[in-house]
Amino acid sequence: MFIAPFAVLFALVFIIPIGFAAYLSLFQDKLIGGQVFVGLSNYIQLFGDAKFWNGVIRVMVFTAIQVPVMLIVAMSLAMALDSKRLHGTKFMRISVFLPYAVPAIVSTLMWGFMMGTKYGLIGNLNEAVGTSIDPFRPDTTMISIGIMITWAFTGYNMLIFYSALKAVPHELYEAAAIDGATEFQVVKMIKLPALRGSLVVTIIFSIIGTFQMFNEPQILSSMVSNSGITTYYTPNLYAYNLAFTGSQQGYAAALALVMAAITIAIAYVVQIRGMKDALE
């Protein structure tokens, strides 16, 4: 009885939606005959769907490049704040975190207007200098999206790292100073090991976040011409278009469940690897 409220809430927000999605994934909408039970056909079709795997690979490559860059920047900023050698650290902390408070739709519109070639900063630069810089060419669109996401989430990850550094006992720094440790040795022997646990957490959150990428390509596809963004640019965008413009709710549900399984598997591997490193 003590856990009954939690069990009910857990079932309402977790078990039932997943169960309903699994149920939907077993059906297909036919032009003649309406909704038809097809068993695992949606899953079999999905594993041979080149559009789906194209989006998965694109997101994986994006994650492998963007997440390390963002976390290195966030970690560097956290160490700079913790060094106590900077002036205006409170202002810097708030300034770097502030983009996280901007809704993703607003930040995408802002960056789209600024980096678009028809208007904004890049457009004005092209007119003034006579260049033809276009951040939203098909081969650079993902880089531009990476800049947007890095701008938005660096401050959030920086605060996680900064909190971990603040929890380091001050006696360790005093002992290192007495032993004549250099700043580099303090970073290597005290600060980096202290960040190991928070690094695993931020990697998992970042992987989940990038695998859910939707707002940026969805808005930019209608905002910028010739960006190379297709209806299957990311798995989430593909699922959305299948469900709401293609009327293939069953296939979209199967796609969503497979993507959830892939994300959970990668996050689990990262967590196990992180725990193993911590024990060593």
Side-chain angles (χ1 to χ4, degrees):
M1 289 298 293
F2 182 73
I3 63 169
F6 169 77
V8 171
L9 186 64
F10 184 76
L12 285 174
V13 302
F14 191 76
I15 301 297
I16 292 177
I18 291 179
F20 185 64
Y23 171 76
L24 274 182
S25 71
L26 303 177
F27 291 86
Q28 280 184 1
D29 290 310
K30 304 285 187 182
L31 190 61
I32 300 175
Q35 200 172 54
V36 178
F37 179 78
V38 294
L40 298 177
S41 294
N42 284 329
Y43 293 95
I44 296 170
Q45 182 183 343
L46 186 65
F47 282 104
D49 189 341
K51 293 179 178 177
F52 169 66
W53 291 111
N54 186 289
V56 172
I57 292 171
R58 180 178 290 109
V59 170
M60 283 184 170
V61 172
F62 176 85
T63 302
I65 298 172
Q66 187 269 336
V67 170
V69 171
M70 177 180 65
L71 295 184
I72 289 171
V73 173
M75 198 180 296
S76 302
L77 289 170
M79 287 188 181
L81 286 174
D82 189 62
S83 68
K84 297 183 176 61
R85 295 185 178 184
L86 298 178
H87 296 286
T89 54
K90 289 183 180 178
F91 175 76
M92 177 181 170
R93 195 165 62 225
I94 294 173
S95 300
V96 177
F97 178 74
L98 202 57
Y100 181 70
V102 179
I105 294 174
V106 175
S107 68
T108 304
L109 289 172
M110 182 187 74
W111 281 98
F113 281 123
M114 189 169 69
M115 299 171 74
T117 54
K118 291 184 179 179
Y119 27 70
L121 185 63
I122 300 298
N124 293 337
L125 179 67
N126 286 337
E127 287 183 7
V129 186
T131 56
S132 58
I133 300 171
D134 184 2
F136 293 116
R137 292 197 310 268
D139 54 345
T140 57
T141 296
M142 216 48 171
I143 298 174
S144 301
I145 292 175
I147 293 172
M148 298 178 195
I149 294 177
T150 302
W151 175 80
F153 289 94
T154 295
Y156 170 78
N157 291 302
M158 179 198 72
L159 284 188
I160 294 177
F161 290 135
Y162 183 64
S163 301
L165 290 174
K166 297 298 287 183
V168 176
H170 192 67
E171 291 76 9
L172 286 178
Y173 296 123
E174 292 178 348
I178 292 172
D179 290 341
T182 63
E183 190 64 33
F184 175 76
Q185 289 173 321
V186 170
V187 170
K188 182 180 177 183
M189 305 304 294
I190 297 177
K191 293 189 177 184
L192 287 179
L195 292 175
R196 187 172 295 168
S198 56
L199 181 61
V200 174
V201 172
T202 54
I203 289 174
I204 292 173
F205 285 174
S206 300
I207 289 173
I208 293 172
T210 50
F211 270 58
Q212 292 176 344
M213 189 193 305
F214 175 79
N215 289 322
E216 292 82 4
Q218 170 67 4
I219 295 171
L220 290 174
S221 64
S222 57
M223 189 176 181
V224 182
S225 61
N226 194 32
S227 62
I229 297 176
T230 59
T231 55
Y232 52 90
Y233 198 67
T234 65
N236 273 13
L237 190 62
Y238 191 28
Y240 172 83
N241 284 303
L242 285 170
F244 294 103
T245 61
S247 298
Q248 299 182 57
Q249 286 82 6
Y251 193 56
L255 189 157
L257 290 174
V258 171
M259 272 310 298
I262 293 173
T263 306
I264 290 171
I266 294 175
Y268 182 73
V269 169
V270 172
Q271 185 177 11
I272 293 297
R273 180 61 187 269
M275 291 172 63
K276 183 180 177 182
D277 290 344
L279 291 173
E280 290 175 354

